[in-house]
Amino acid sequence: MASNKKYWKSVEELNENSSIVEKLQKSEFIEDIPTSEFLGDKESLEASDTSRRDFLKYVGFSTAVATLAACEGPVVNSIPYVVKPDDIIPGIADYYASSIADGFDFANILVKVREGRPIKIEPNKDSKNGITNARVQASVLSLYDNNRLTGPLAKGAETDYATLDKEVKSQLAELKAKGAKIVLLSGTTASPSLEKLVAEFKESYGNVEHIIYDAVAEDAALNAFEKMYGTRALPDYYFGKAEVIVSVGADFLGDWQGGNFGPGYAKGRKPKNGKMSRHIQFESNMTLTGGNADKRIIVKPSEQLQVMSKLYEAIVNGKSAGSSTPVDDAIEKAVVQIRKAGNKAVVVCGIQDENAQLLALAINSALQSQVIDVVSTKNVRQGDTNKVNQLMKDMASGTVGAVLIANSNPVYSLAKGTAFAEALKKVALSVTFSMSANQTAEVSQYVIAAPHYLEAWGDLEIKKGHYSLVQPTIQPLFKTRQLEDSLLTWMGSDLSYYDYMKNNWQANLLGGGSWNKTLQDGTFTLAHQEEVAVANEIDLSSVSSTLAQTAGAEMELTVYAKTGLGDGQQANNPWLQELPDPITRTSWDNYLLISRIDAERLGLSNRTVDNGALNGDLVNLTANGVTLSNVPVYVQPGQAAGSVAIAVGYGRTDLKKDMNIGVNAYPLSEGAFQSVTIEKTEGEHKFACVQLHHTIMGREEEITKETTLADFVSKPKEEWNHAPVFSLDHQEVTQDKVDLWEKFDDSLGTKFNLSIDLATCTGCAACVVACHAENNVPVVGKHEIRVSRDMHWLRIDRYYSSDMTVAQGKEDGSFGSGDFFKAQGEPSDAPEVSFQPVMCQHCNHAPCETVCPVAATSHGRQGQNQMAYNRCIGTRYCANNCPYRVRRFNWFKYANNNEFDFNMNNELGKMVLNPDVTVRSRGVMEKCSFCIQKTQSTILNAKKEGRAVVDGEFSTACSSACPSNALVFGDVNDESSKVAHLSHDDRSFKLLDFVGTKPNVFYQLKVKNTTEA
């Protein structure tokens, strides 16, 4: 058996007397079917004389809900090309290599374009930086945001560029004559051509300064690196080389220092030759990285600073951390393992404290760690908050003549945003480049509608020597103009930015290489001379002493960026708003994370109500003289007692009504942590949480499997990955000996299988958004999510596991008692975490197929469970018969319906829809199709070229997007294919395989390196 742990999704499941859990186990659909909405008054209908047709209509609705609606299909009037453009072939996708650089996310990508419309983002896997997360995948929808500005504004009124340029140039000339200061305030651009252009702009206007500001800053790490190595940059990390990783507050599988470390980390997490990396995490709130760690030690934010000091003293100075507390003991054991690993160990720090970052660099330098790269540095964070604070003082004093703001929203995202807005009013000229009428645009004199990155030209140097290009993939949708073209215009140049950038590359970067070839590839690597980074002399003893004496507070607050919204610039993107957070499984909200211990002390709680939805208390939060009112409370397993956390990116007021949610936590974002007071207030918050959706409590041991590295190496497979056995003629036999279905030969031709490696799946959710984009999955909004009508085709189940196991309960005699359940619940203060992606399993013996009365769902020879939407009458028998709970029912018409005012309800948003995938009607079932449109396209392309499909060509949206390559898709009948090899791996298992459904999706069980020092 892989594990005898107790797995659970929600604390509510640990309540042995919970009637709610019992109801959820027995009821697939929580709410009664709203037949009255379709048929009128039930009593009058029963009393009336009805025809047989009316009677069947009523009975049909009680089982099918939307039979009549299923007969309605959307009508789309199409206009054919009169003269077809030469570069467009209807039905054939074009792919353009480009990059995203929005100041928070940086990646090299491929853009899928259909009939002139970008519809999908793919990672550019030929590039080291070709990694996409959920936000990058969703960014294509932000192109079609109808909340975008459509043209320039002057003092709140519409204007044209000729008028605006005339006025701006006149004021800039006046400021130049006076010698007044002109400031360009932008987010991190990492653009070599823009850097050159700003230098030329400075030559034209004299007193010009470029200040970079990041909403989620890395000032501490940047300042520390500059102090130690003389360059203001961030080191790179190769976690694939690591044998031991010790992280103190660094969510490096999230957005720490720009993120994108998942692929390297995953390389070390597969047990090869009995070895895998050991990951130890010290942190306060549960993060993606902490959830994936082998050992997670819970400490308050102030204690994280002390941990860094003790690690430094032990590793560099040889001093013992002692073992007076469990944390000290954990530090001692971590130090032993670090020393054993030597230069294959690394210590990373996510604390926003310069001294802590200095110690992390010093430790890695002492180890001569091969994991950290201090030569080929990263440029994804360049902000300098000190300069921004000085700018505010200068603006307030009247010494700044003009401020040009691009790629940032400081009035919203600065801790002192209100003060920035007041100071900006004292500036003679203020110009903001923005895609929407955001908070900074509202207080600026001139607003230039900025293009989306898919409409613009640009270049990047994400990592030293690694250059890439940004190219437009669609004509501008509105009257937009990018910063670079504006600067050229105000300098009196006739060049477009495209010509300027091309000239710069040909003169300074390409070295005679082909511009067109580089544009086609999207990336270009320029070899730089190998350097040896020499650390400067710094008094680290006093630095360590300062951290060791850190005084904590009774309650400490940290702010963080959520996987979905990040810094909040895509807050108007419904795909991201509806994305369940990988840890809390909650969408459409931010909230205050608090531990069970503190919640009980303060009289705060979450409550699961009768329909399975989650409610919680509200509090007022005060720190540093700033109060946030009516903040919802979420009791988070694994949160450090004495600490709370809240996500930034919410609380914007310039968005569509459904997106104006949450509270703005940026006013509390200063420092590593703040002392905070919490006051309970009246009211109750309603969460859109999928925590209890599709509960499968009671079958935990057959759902997700994991084992330890020690057991994996030393014990036979049958002990840690047992196969189910059945009784036949009083003999125990394996599943292949007993079957309820007739066998059919599927060994000929292609048969698709999907392998999911739980050891390398980090729960990042990039696959969820990719599936959404590829398959036209509708957004249903907070209320529908709350009442269990989630439409995601792919979900990532997050399981907590308790320290109290069934085996331990039986051993001490508590199994089945109230004490046993209590013992399982209280360790929820420090649970372990497992992630498991679940989609349609495409069963060879699919129970859904046997119960469909109209044969709407059937099995294809290629192994896919198929749906004929125009046959489906919505009986939902298939959903009730599915043990995996992966089928979705269209309760409503989500397209062209004002009740669901998202991208499918406006002509601009519909441009993102994939024309190869049907937009489903009301009253039908839908679910994962293994992206049948992609598999068939691959087969047809190979056929057209007169060749066989090679391994690696087949892909689904989820497998293509997965940054850690945890999902592998292919033809299992091809014995040489990777998926065929994985199907025979010892770690391979199938979800609920004892049911006998024979899925075409299989998993590789999770392995944890739990070996202590």
Side-chain angles (χ1 to χ4, degrees), residues 834-898:
S834 298
F835 299 102
Q836 184 178 45
V838 181
M839 66 291 288
C840 175
Q841 302 291 291
H842 294 271
C843 308
N844 289 301
H845 294 165
C848 57
E849 296 170 12
T850 61
V851 295
C852 181
V854 292
T857 181
S858 59
H859 206 72
R861 178 162 287 279
Q862 295 174 337
Q864 290 151 310
N865 175 252
Q866 299 172 341
M867 283 295 306
Y869 298 124
N870 60 344
R871 291 183 64 89
C872 178
I873 60 172
T875 61
R876 297 181 300 157
Y877 296 158
C878 56
N880 285 319
N881 221 36
C882 175
Y884 307 105
R885 298 295 181 256
V886 291
R887 303 181 74 88
R888 302 288 179 250
F889 180 64
N890 280 265
W891 288 90
F892 302 102
K893 180 183 179 184
Y894 299 114
N896 300 318
N897 185 342
N898 291 333

Side-chain angles (χ1 to χ4, degrees), residues 269-296:
R269 300 304 293 170
K270 292 183 179 181
K272 294 180 180 178
N273 302 320
K275 293 184 177 181
M276 63 181 290
S277 64
R278 167 81 167 154
H279 174 194
I280 303 166
Q281 185 85 5
F282 294 85
E283 65 180 13
S284 304
N285 52 302
M286 180 73 79
T287 65
L288 264 183
T289 310
N292 283 278
D294 296 310
K295 179 72 173 179
R296 182 174 180 267

Side-chain angles (χ1 to χ4, degrees), residues 338-541:
I338 290 171
R339 286 174 176 158
K340 184 179 179 180
N343 61 10
K344 292 188 177 180
V346 68
V347 175
V348 293
C349 176
I351 310 169
Q352 295 305 313
D353 181 276
E354 186 175 323
N355 288 334
Q357 296 291 342
L358 279 171
L359 293 189
L361 292 172
I363 291 170
N364 291 321
S365 177
L367 292 170
Q368 295 184 324
S369 175
Q370 296 178 8
V371 181
I372 185 173
D373 184 353
V374 296
V375 176
S376 296
T377 52
K378 296 177 67 177
N379 301 316
V380 294
R381 296 287 185 272
Q382 298 175 344
D384 193 330
T385 303
N386 290 333
K387 289 186 177 181
V388 177
N389 291 335
Q390 184 60 47
L391 171 63
M392 280 197 291
K393 294 177 183 178
D394 293 343
M395 290 193 302
S397 65
T399 59
V400 176
V403 178
L404 314 177
I405 303 172
N407 198 28
S408 64
N409 184 7
V411 174
Y412 163 70
S413 58
L414 270 175
K416 295 182 175 64
T418 303
F420 185 94
E422 290 300 316
L424 191 62
K425 295 176 183 178
K426 299 181 180 180
V427 176
L429 173 63
S430 57
V431 183
T432 291
F433 295 79
S434 176
M435 286 180 60
S436 66
N438 61 29
Q439 289 82 353
T440 305
E442 287 179 356
V443 294
S444 300
Q445 297 166 0
Y446 297 97
V447 181
I448 294 179
H452 189 270
Y453 78 92
L454 293 175
E455 302 170 305
W457 285 102
D459 61 357
L460 300 172
E461 188 184 10
I462 295 176
K463 178 179 168 69
K464 186 175 181 180
H466 293 252
Y467 295 90
S468 50
L469 290 167
V470 182
Q471 66 171 314
T473 57
I474 188 174
Q475 289 291 329
L477 298 174
F478 306 112
K479 297 175 183 178
T480 56
R481 193 172 72 184
Q482 62 190 95
L483 166 69
E484 295 86 348
D485 279 317
S486 296
L487 295 180
L488 286 166
T489 298
W490 299 338
M491 289 164 56
S493 173
D494 293 330
L495 282 177
S496 68
Y497 184 58
Y498 165 76
D499 292 326
Y500 179 91
M501 184 179 67
K502 181 179 178 181
N503 293 341
N504 180 42
W505 273 62
Q506 290 178 330
N508 302 310
L509 293 176
L510 291 177
S514 169
W515 164 259
N516 289 336
K517 179 68 166 58
T518 304
L519 188 61
Q520 182 180 2
D521 295 341
T523 60
F524 175 76
T525 301
L526 185 63
H528 57 277
Q529 187 176 358
E530 281 297 323
E531 306 168 17
V532 177
V534 179
N536 296 324
E537 291 293 331
I538 301 172
D539 183 7
L540 294 171
S541 295

Side-chain angles (χ1 to χ4, degrees), residues 21-126:
V21 171
E22 183 179 357
K23 178 179 178 181
L24 291 173
Q25 287 176 323
K26 295 178 179 179
S27 303
E28 167 67 11
F29 296 97
I30 304 305
E31 294 192 342
D32 293 333
I33 299 166
T35 55
S36 59
E37 296 181 16
F38 305 100
L39 300 176
D41 183 47
K42 176 180 177 181
E43 293 182 2
S44 62
L45 183 65
E46 290 176 334
S48 66
D49 293 328
T50 62
S51 66
R52 179 176 179 275
R53 177 188 175 97
D54 292 329
F55 172 76
L56 291 175
K57 183 194 302 181
Y58 172 70
V59 174
F61 269 115
S62 67
T63 57
V65 180
T67 307
L68 294 182
C71 300
E72 299 175 3
V75 176
V76 179
N77 295 317
S78 300
I79 302 175
Y81 290 118
V82 178
V83 178
K84 183 182 74 66
D86 292 336
D87 57 346
I88 292 179
I89 302 175
I92 303 298
D94 293 314
Y95 289 85
Y96 294 90
S98 189
S99 301
I100 179 174
D102 61 9
F104 190 73
D105 291 304
F106 294 80
N108 300 142
I109 60 174
L110 298 179
V111 185
K112 181 181 180 181
V113 178
R114 280 293 302 271
E115 286 75 57
R117 298 176 294 113
I119 63 170
K120 182 72 172 62
I121 302 298
E122 301 282 1
N124 184 350
K125 297 187 177 181
D126 291 333

